[in-house]
Amino acid sequence: MSDSQRWTSRDDEADDDDEDEEVDETGYKSAKDAVLFAIDVSPSMLRVPPASNAKKADTDSPTSAALKCAYALMQQRIISNPNDMMGILLFGTEKSKFHGEEQTSRGGLTYPHCYLLADLDVPAAEDVKALRSLVEDEKESKSVLIPSKEPVSMANLLFCANQVFTTKAPNFASRRLFIVTDNDDPHKQDKALRSAATIRAKDLYDLGVIIELFPISQPGHQFDREKFYGDIIYGSSPTDPDAPTATAAAAKASSTGDGISLLNSLLSSINSKSVARRALFSNLPLEIGPGLKISVKGYIIFKRQEPARSCYIWLGGEKPQIAKGITTQMAEDTARPVEKVEIKKAYKFGGEQISFTAEEISRIRYFGDPTIRICGFKPLSLLPIWASLKQSTFIYPSEEDFVGSTRVFSALQQKLLKDEKMAVAWYIARRNAAPVIAAIVPGAEKVGENEEQVMPPGMWLVPLPYADDIRQNPELSLVRAPDSLTDTMRKVVQQLQLPKAQYDPMKYPNPALQWHYRILQTLALNEEMPVKPEDKTVPKYKQIDKRVGEYAIDWGQELETQFNLWQKEHGTATKRAASSDASSAVKKPKRAAESSKHDVDDSEMRELYNANKVNKLTVPVLKGWLTSKDLPSGGNKSVLVERIEGYFENK
């Protein structure tokens, strides 16, 4: 084969020899997860709050709220995580059921007062419909949600969960049991049952199952984890014992039906743990100085979520089947398929193709073994906001390779945090990865409103740009705003502060992603097609106008004044500006005459509002009517129309 012969690929993206400079996230994203809900069905969990006239009144019993949470999570996972499994196990019920069989048919291997409502499996549309009918249909729920007269054995519950995970998800990388209950001491006086439950919990832990507790505090009683669940819940993951753990705060059942909804509180806690913890890299040495190394793990905390990848299906058989694509390399001139051993990777240089073998490319890319090596320390203020090229990695200590790593890591993190310093490090994520200069930035612990841990203390690995990555700044002539203009804008900024002056991403779901999922869910479940997407990023124009409408008008007037002064000082007044001033001077009397000629009174404006014809009026008429009502008259026509419509809506 001559050196001049060229080759092309039918699918360039599928080339196995693409440069491998980034940390591989395939395993991180594709690892399967199995979640089993264990929901308590006791009389206190079935108690509904008293009726209330409050807008956000709590109307769900704790058990009903937990089922709705499971339903919401199942809706999400059926599309966003199609390979994950989910199941629902009720405990404390009068009836008993396991794997579709009634208690009486199982002989000696029974799990009294455990009802497997939904077996652990990949959720299908029918499973979502069945759960929805249970949540929405009171008759159906009352036939199942009957509390038992005898207390349930927690050892039986945990053994039942063990059997479910063993038979349904034996090889899953992540398996988790979500327990929702308000009983903090199910076996008060029985030490034998407590000991049996502890042994069953240890069996689950040895199996690789994480037990997550979602406690509910009833009115007059605060849930105490240490009474019973301190021996049941392990603080670390069996597959990743060094991973940072966060404890879910106890949700509070309402005694009056007012206040924060129990459902929203549970949803918030469960959503925070709905994605399994997985390390991006494990046991990477962090070299603080010559001869001083510790071991750390890296985690992706923030990852851009995208719609599940679409696929092609073949409809010619008895049921639809996924069509898998095959990539073939071929010669450009003869279209002859070639094998991988026949080709080499090449790069263009000076019009020529320079080819390399796989071994040569591997030697070229090798800059050393994977490591994080601290080169020095700098003030944190020297890290510009534009310096972050890619997403940061959260690093946390690991005791696996170097005992004492946690103490050294904690001392370094606290010292950097106290002195407001950062470390500059040489970072190689894995073999054959390109070396990266990174900043190690300390991160403090963050807690939520209920003192639950939102972010554990740790450090962030922030990739920094090289000299080759920085481009030349554009040549611009900047004009500094005068202080009067800045002071006027300060009022606008102060009035439009976000709650607590912080951006909370949990309040703003991606509208495009949610709309995509909503359409798929509607088609899969045969629901009514939604009219438009719910977009929480749309500004609340009426509130903004109420807060800063006058300030914005003042700023616009001040801008006009300062701009005219700047033009006079610099002599750059254009003909266009002069002509516009002259034309406005000539047209002002005419506009005034037109507005007086076409003024509308309140009754006429209401008729136009009722007929949805306010937008038929001219801008001068709209402004004139708003001025007569002492309302802001600034903005374009659509803003004026919305302001008038808001006026009549609120009357």
Side-chain angles (χ1 to χ4, degrees):
M1 184 181 296
S2 64
D3 293 339
S4 61
Q5 191 168 8
R6 296 175 294 173
W7 305 95
T8 61
S9 170
R10 292 180 183 172
D11 188 356
D12 293 333
E13 294 181 356
D15 188 0
D16 293 334
D17 292 330
D18 283 345
E19 291 194 23
D20 219 358
E21 296 183 351
E22 297 185 6
V23 177
D24 184 14
E25 299 173 7
T26 306
Y28 180 87
K29 291 206 69 178
S30 63
K32 294 181 180 180
D33 183 32
V35 173
L36 178 64
F37 274 84
I39 301 174
D40 192 359
V41 186
S42 62
S44 59
M45 287 285 287
L46 292 172
R47 190 180 300 123
V48 179
S52 172
N53 295 325
K55 289 184 178 179
K56 297 182 179 180
D58 211 345
T59 59
D60 298 311
S61 67
T63 298
S64 177
L67 285 171
K68 288 183 177 180
C69 288
Y71 172 58
L73 186 61
M74 186 177 287
Q75 283 181 303
Q76 296 172 10
R77 293 205 159 200
I78 195 173
I79 297 172
S80 59
N81 302 86
N83 295 323
D84 289 356
M85 285 187 176
M86 185 174 163
I88 300 174
L89 175 64
L90 305 178
F91 66 95
T93 55
E94 185 65 29
K95 296 180 180 179
S96 301
K97 180 182 175 183
F98 186 79
H99 283 171
E101 300 178 4
E102 297 299 329
Q103 178 180 349
T104 55
S105 66
R106 290 194 53 78
L109 191 62
T110 59
Y111 304 102
H113 311 304
C114 293
Y115 192 93
L116 191 59
L117 181 66
D119 206 352
L120 189 65
D121 205 344
V122 176
E126 294 301 324
D127 299 323
V128 180
K129 290 180 182 178
L131 184 55
R132 181 179 61 186
S133 64
L134 179 66
V135 169
E136 298 176 353
D137 190 347
E138 292 186 5
K139 291 183 179 180
E140 185 173 349
S141 62
K142 286 181 179 179
S143 65
V144 176
L145 304 180
I146 302 174
S148 64
K149 297 177 182 178
E150 302 173 359
V152 65
S153 167
M154 294 303 294
N156 269 345
L157 168 66
L158 297 175
F159 187 44
C160 180
N162 190 316
Q163 293 297 308
V164 172
F165 282 116
T166 303
T167 56
K168 291 294 183 177
N171 299 318
F172 272 45
S174 171
R175 291 176 288 185
R176 296 178 293 162
L177 176 63
F178 287 2
I179 300 178
V180 184
T181 182
D182 64 345
N183 189 354
D184 56 7
D185 196 5
H187 303 308
K188 296 180 181 179
Q189 307 297 333
D190 199 325
K191 292 184 178 180
L193 288 177
R194 292 175 66 96
S195 177
T198 304
I199 294 172
R200 293 301 185 190
K202 183 65 168 62
D203 291 342
L204 280 172
Y205 184 83
D206 293 340
L207 190 65
V209 177
I210 303 172
I211 302 177
E212 301 276 15
L213 177 66
F214 296 94
I216 295 175
S217 294
Q218 292 288 354
H221 177 73
Q222 183 67 28
F223 194 100
D224 188 354
R225 298 170 182 272
E226 299 305 320
K227 285 185 178 180
F228 175 77
Y229 287 97
D231 298 328
I232 302 297
I233 308 298
Y234 289 79
S236 61
S237 163
T239 57
D240 195 359
D242 300 309
T245 58
T247 303
K252 296 181 179 180
S254 175
S255 59
T256 62
D258 300 335
I260 299 175
S261 167
L262 172 65
L263 174 61
N264 292 335
S265 180
L266 265 180
L267 272 174
S268 176
S269 297
I270 290 174
N271 283 338
S272 67
K273 293 177 176 290
S274 62
V275 179
R277 252 187 343 254
R278 300 186 184 108
L280 181 62
F281 55 77
S282 299
N283 304 323
L284 198 66
L286 171 59
E287 186 177 339
I288 300 174
L292 177 58
K293 290 183 180 181
I294 63 175
S295 183
V296 296
K297 292 187 177 184
Y299 300 87
I300 291 181
I301 304 297
F302 303 102
K303 177 68 180 174
R304 181 175 177 82
Q305 187 69 25
E306 298 176 351
R309 187 175 179 181
S310 60
C311 59
Y312 293 101
I313 59 174
W314 179 62
L315 301 175
E318 295 181 359
K319 61 179 182 178
Q321 299 182 33
I322 296 178
K324 296 182 179 180
I326 299 176
T327 302
T328 304
Q329 305 285 348
M330 65 178 185
E332 187 179 41
D333 52 356
T334 63
R336 179 181 69 85
V338 294
E339 299 296 331
K340 188 175 180 179
V341 294
E342 299 181 73
I343 59 177
K344 293 183 178 180
K345 195 162 190 176
Y347 296 89
K348 282 187 178 181
F349 186 82
E352 296 184 10
Q353 298 282 1
I354 311 298
S355 61
F356 298 90
T357 63
E359 293 77 12
E360 290 172 337
I361 290 179
S362 180
R363 289 201 301 270
I364 291 172
R365 290 182 182 175
Y366 182 74
F367 278 84
D369 293 328
T371 187
I372 304 174
R373 184 181 300 116
I374 293 179
C375 305
F377 301 91
K378 291 284 185 181
L380 198 56
S381 58
L382 294 181
L383 180 64
I385 192 172
W386 49 261
S388 180
L389 281 180
K390 300 176 182 177
Q391 65 184 17
S392 303
T393 304
F394 184 76
I395 57 175
Y396 207 75
S398 169
E399 296 284 328
E400 195 165 328
D401 288 349
F402 299 97
V403 178
S405 294
T406 303
R407 285 180 293 175
V408 177
F409 183 93
S410 177
L412 177 62
Q413 182 259 352
Q414 292 180 40
K415 180 62 176 175
L416 292 177
L417 203 60
K418 180 181 178 181
D419 294 351
E420 297 183 352
K421 300 277 188 180
M422 65 175 178
V424 180
W426 164 275
Y427 166 45
I428 299 178
R430 61 195 183 102
R431 290 188 63 84
N432 296 336
V436 175
I437 295 294
I440 301 179
V441 179
E445 180 186 29
K446 291 185 180 180
V447 296
E449 296 179 354
N450 299 321
E451 299 302 321
E452 77 277 13
Q453 189 183 66
V454 177
M455 182 69 69
M459 291 192 284
W460 296 87
L461 206 58
V462 184
L464 300 178
Y466 286 110
D468 316 71
D469 303 322
I470 300 176
R471 298 186 178 183
Q472 187 66 33
N473 291 332
E475 294 183 3
L476 298 173
S477 56
L478 301 178
V479 179
R480 182 179 176 82
D483 293 339
S484 60
L485 200 60
T486 305
D487 293 339
T488 310
M489 178 53 71
R490 185 177 291 112
K491 297 177 182 178
V492 176
V493 174
Q494 289 173 347
Q495 291 297 320
L496 291 181
Q497 287 283 343
L498 290 169
K500 299 182 181 179
Q502 291 182 346
Y503 168 70
D504 183 4
M506 297 302 294
K507 294 183 178 179
Y508 304 100
N510 185 337
L513 193 67
Q514 295 300 318
W515 181 239
H516 173 81
Y517 288 163
R518 186 73 181 90
I519 294 297
L520 291 184
Q521 174 185 318
T522 300
L523 296 175
L525 303 181
N526 295 322
E527 296 177 346
E528 185 178 350
M529 187 65 68
V531 178
K532 62 178 182 178
E534 181 183 2
D535 188 357
K536 293 186 178 180
T537 64
V538 174
K540 299 178 180 178
Y541 295 108
K542 292 182 180 179
Q543 293 185 14
I544 292 174
D545 179 62
K546 186 177 180 179
R547 287 185 179 184
V548 300
E550 295 295 338
Y551 296 125
I553 293 173
D554 293 342
W555 184 83
Q557 293 173 348
E558 182 65 20
L559 174 63
E560 185 71 21
T561 302
Q562 295 297 333
F563 180 65
N564 291 334
L565 291 174
W566 182 84
Q567 282 186 326
K568 290 179 181 179
E569 291 176 2
H570 294 79
T572 56
T574 61
K575 293 182 180 180
R576 180 181 177 185
S579 62
S580 63
D581 290 341
S583 62
S584 62
V586 173
K587 291 180 180 179
K588 275 182 181 178
K590 184 179 178 182
R591 288 181 180 174
E594 287 179 354
S595 62
S596 62
K597 181 179 178 181
H598 297 289
D599 278 345
V600 294
D601 56 23
D602 292 356
S603 60
E604 292 175 338
M605 186 63 79
R606 178 169 283 281
E607 290 177 1
L608 292 169
Y609 166 75
N610 292 333
N612 199 22
K613 293 183 178 180
V614 178
N615 58 350
K616 301 295 183 182
L617 297 175
T618 61
V619 171
V621 175
L622 296 173
K623 287 187 174 182
W625 191 87
L626 288 167
T627 304
S628 68
K629 297 297 178 185
D630 295 326
L631 295 172
S633 58
N636 56 29
K637 185 174 181 178
S638 61
V639 174
L640 301 177
V641 171
E642 184 180 355
R643 197 171 293 153
I644 293 173
E645 291 176 346
Y647 172 84
F648 285 107
E649 288 173 0
N650 298 326
K651 277 199 78 173

